[in-house]
Amino acid sequence: LSTDGEKLAVACMSGDVVDFFWLDGSLDSQVELGWGARPYGVVLTDFGETWVTLQGPAAVARIGIDQSFGERIYLESDLRGVAMTADGLILSRHRSPDDGGVVVRMGTAGVQTWRLRLDPGPDSDTNARGLPTYLQQVAVRPDGRVAVFPGLKANIERGLARDGLPLTFETTVRSDLRQISLHDGEGPVGSELEAGVFDDRGLAVAAAFSPAGDWLFVAHQGMETVDILDAYTMERVGAAVDVGTSPDGLYVTEDALWVSVGLSRQLVRYDLSNIAIPVETDRIDLLPQTGEVLDPQILLGKQIFQRSVDPRMSSSGYASCASCHLDGDHDKRVWDFTDRGEGLRNTIAMKGRGGSAPIHWSANFDEIQDFEHDIRGPQQGLGFLSEEDWQATNVTLGVSKAGLSEELDALAAYAASLDVYPRSYYRTTEGARTAEGLLGQAIFEDPGVGCTDCHTGPELTDSGWLAPGIPILHDVGTLTADSGQRLSGPLLGLDTPGLRGVFSSAPYLHDGSAATLIDVLIDKNPADAHGVTSGLSGAELDQLVAYLNELE
């Protein structure tokens, strides 16, 4: 919202545009940001400029007073959160590298990058180790001295292959809230202050301060709860519970808390006369006059996908499908699943796949409904099947679970709806292929290089079944001792991943051991078992990578 309260800017990720609306709902203008920009966070300044984070090209964009596209400033990959302070912009990287969360300040002191440390733990029933990640929104205390970053804490150090301890439902992911000092009166600028600690909570998606800065409100997506903290001690003083499915935004006035509840399509108001027990006073329907845009089954599936509060999904509210696949994407994490009969596994994006099977690197599921095994197992949920149906279908690749549970079928319908790959920012600003990429296509399709031996067809994969329950698997020389097993038996090969959208799916390979596509082609392919690439020149490798990066 502009400082004069007359105009609203809305970032549209799938369309690569920012729309500017008047408050009566009429469209004022639209600014195109280039193919694959994927704008997310947006702020309007006192000077009439607009700043937008671009998750695609690792940049922040400036839009001028006349709402013309100004410039891109390249800062950090995967930017999402943004807030404005007197000293400039505070930005956050959505999915963190393994060595810590990333926060950027761009302002009067230039560009500064700060790290959010891994929580050293110890793991317990009330806390756990973990990397702060899934940073989406930034909240700045009204005095401008502190910024907070809600997110998720991912326990990437735990697992039988890593430290000898199995992942459990309460030591895998937890809600996370970090504070950074923006003023030397709070501590060294850029240093971390006392963090918020939450028990029985999953992903924290939004935070907001009270106008006086004394209270801090934190929304937890899966638990459908807004916790209220003392902003100085980080102690919990109250909560608004049962706010609705998938809260995603907060706004606080002197006497009221407003909660945007995305998948309930509502805006909820709470009276704050008693800060410990907020009282719901209004629930406003936000559906357009044309009604719900999603098919009812897909909407139900999307709601279930994100709800950790449902005891059928998980124990104590920590995990849901969205914990690793927020927005149907991937979390850029490599998990140690040795305790569940697998091994090190790099999370696969769901976007574009449309719920197709085989599922997972080891092809151990043949339908989305098989996630009942993860729900009842690692997540310790009660499950969505009746006990009779569970006993009859509790072997993956066996008797189908489809049609036995409305909720599991809805999850499958939602997964099937994720049939569009993200736009590639490696293409031209109009979305066309580049000359370099077209040269790379010829190399990719060269029988002597061999890429199309496995990466074939519309999805550029031979993923499928030799017979019911028997998948097509390949050993391309990337298996190690930590690759573990398949269905608690020998791992003889891997399912071939499709290559569309590969530009956004790093790290690569089943164990995430390749940081870049060049690493896949060269460093992790010394014997040419994964394509005959050793004879390619540097220029040809660059062309091949250009082709891969432009696939969508």
Side-chain angles (χ1 to χ4, degrees), residues 80 94-95 134 152 173 203 221 302 305-306 319-333 335 337 340 345-351 353 359-361 365 368 371 374 379 414-415 418:
R80 271 205 173 187
H94 176 43
R95 292 166 295 188
Y134 271 172
L152 185 80
V173 293
L203 172 65
Q221 181 189 72
K302 189 172 184 178
F305 188 87
Q306 300 190 12
S320 70
C321 307
S323 298
C324 295
H325 296 283
L326 185 64
D327 303 325
D329 213 328
H330 67 112
D331 58 8
K332 290 188 178 289
R333 305 272 71 85
W335 296 99
F337 290 155
R340 60 178 82 173
R345 296 290 183 265
N346 183 12
T347 305
I348 300 171
M350 298 175 64
K351 284 185 175 179
R353 292 178 56 86
I359 297 168
H360 295 150
W361 288 98
F365 288 1
I368 293 297
F371 279 94
D374 285 347
Q379 294 174 202
Y414 172 59
L418 299 172

Side-chain angles (χ1 to χ4, degrees), residues 172-471:
T172 303
V173 293
R174 283 176 174 260
S175 181
D176 196 52
L177 181 74
R178 300 303 177 95
Q179 288 193 94
I180 285 281
S181 170
L182 303 180
H183 187 278
D184 55 16
E186 300 289 335
V189 173
S191 65
E192 275 200 76
L193 306 176
E194 184 174 359
V197 177
F198 303 97
D199 194 18
D200 299 339
R201 298 285 189 269
L203 172 65
V205 291
F209 287 93
S210 61
D214 48 352
W215 307 117
L216 176 59
F217 299 78
V218 183
H220 304 277
Q221 181 189 72
M223 278 299 290
E224 302 177 359
T225 297
V226 178
D227 279 328
I228 306 171
L229 311 181
D230 182 306
Y232 296 95
T233 66
M234 291 289 112
E235 293 181 359
R236 184 173 177 270
V237 297
V241 299
D242 300 325
V243 300
T245 304
S246 194
D248 53 19
L250 302 173
Y251 179 72
V252 187
T253 66
E254 291 185 359
D255 59 359
L257 162 68
W258 292 88
V259 185
S260 167
V261 190
L263 293 184
S264 291
R265 316 304 200 202
Q266 292 174 327
L267 184 65
V268 187
R269 181 188 184 277
Y270 290 88
D271 181 87
L272 296 179
S273 298
N274 182 348
I275 197 69
I277 310 175
V279 176
E280 180 183 326
T281 60
D282 294 284
R283 191 169 284 263
I284 302 169
D285 188 351
L286 298 181
L287 280 175
Q289 293 182 347
T290 53
E292 175 58 53
V293 296
L294 292 181
D295 173 89
Q297 189 183 36
I298 293 174
L299 176 61
L300 174 62
K302 189 172 184 178
Q303 291 170 335
I304 294 168
F305 188 87
Q306 300 190 12
R307 298 189 77 231
S308 61
V309 69
D310 188 338
R312 296 174 299 176
M313 174 62 76
S314 68
S315 177
S316 303
Y318 293 113
S320 70
C321 307
S323 298
C324 295
H325 296 283
L326 185 64
D327 303 325
D329 213 328
H330 67 112
D331 58 8
K332 290 188 178 289
R333 305 272 71 85
V334 177
W335 296 99
D336 183 352
F337 290 155
T338 307
D339 64 285
R340 60 178 82 173
E342 292 286 315
L344 298 187
R345 296 290 183 265
N346 183 12
T347 305
I348 300 171
M350 298 175 64
K351 284 185 175 179
R353 292 178 56 86
S356 61
I359 297 168
H360 295 150
W361 288 98
S362 66
N364 60 349
F365 288 1
D366 62 0
E367 58 184 353
I368 293 297
Q369 288 88 341
D370 277 336
F371 279 94
E372 179 82 353
H373 292 262
D374 285 347
I375 289 168
R376 286 177 177 252
Q379 294 174 202
Q380 288 293 287
L382 299 176
F384 292 101
L385 290 175
S386 69
E387 285 306 307
E388 180 181 359
D389 287 337
W390 170 244
Q391 292 302 322
T393 64
N394 67 359
V395 176
T396 66
L397 310 183
V399 178
S400 174
K401 300 174 180 66
L404 300 180
S405 162
E406 177 186 10
E407 292 82 5
L408 291 180
D409 289 348
L411 281 174
Y414 172 59
S417 75
L418 299 172
D419 58 359
V420 177
Y421 293 97
R423 291 177 173 181
S424 171
Y425 53 87
Y426 288 95
R427 294 189 173 214
T428 70
T429 55
E430 294 78 28
R433 300 278 297 280
T434 68
E436 191 86 344
L438 291 172
L439 291 172
Q441 181 175 358
I443 298 169
F444 181 86
E445 295 174 350
D446 181 348
V449 177
C451 298
T452 54
D453 290 350
C454 300
H455 294 287
T456 186
E459 300 300 314
L460 299 177
T461 174
D462 66 356
S463 176
W465 306 96
L466 295 169
I470 303 176

Side-chain angles (χ1 to χ4, degrees), residues 445-529:
E445 295 174 350
D446 181 348
V449 177
C451 298
T452 54
D453 290 350
C454 300
H455 294 287
T456 186
E459 300 300 314
L460 299 177
T461 174
D462 66 356
S463 176
W465 306 96
L466 295 169
I470 303 176
I472 300 169
L473 302 177
H474 299 283
D475 180 358
V476 294
T478 58
L479 298 178
T480 70
D482 289 338
S483 297
Q485 299 177 300
R486 176 182 181 269
L487 294 171
S488 299
L491 178 66
L492 303 178
L494 300 164
D495 183 57
T496 304
L499 296 181
R500 298 194 180 279
V502 72
F503 71 92
S504 67
S505 62
Y508 301 106
L509 302 180
H510 73 285
D511 57 359
S513 59
T516 68
L517 290 172
I518 284 290
D519 292 336
V520 174
L521 297 171
I522 300 299
D523 295 349
K524 295 295 178 178
N525 188 33
D528 282 343

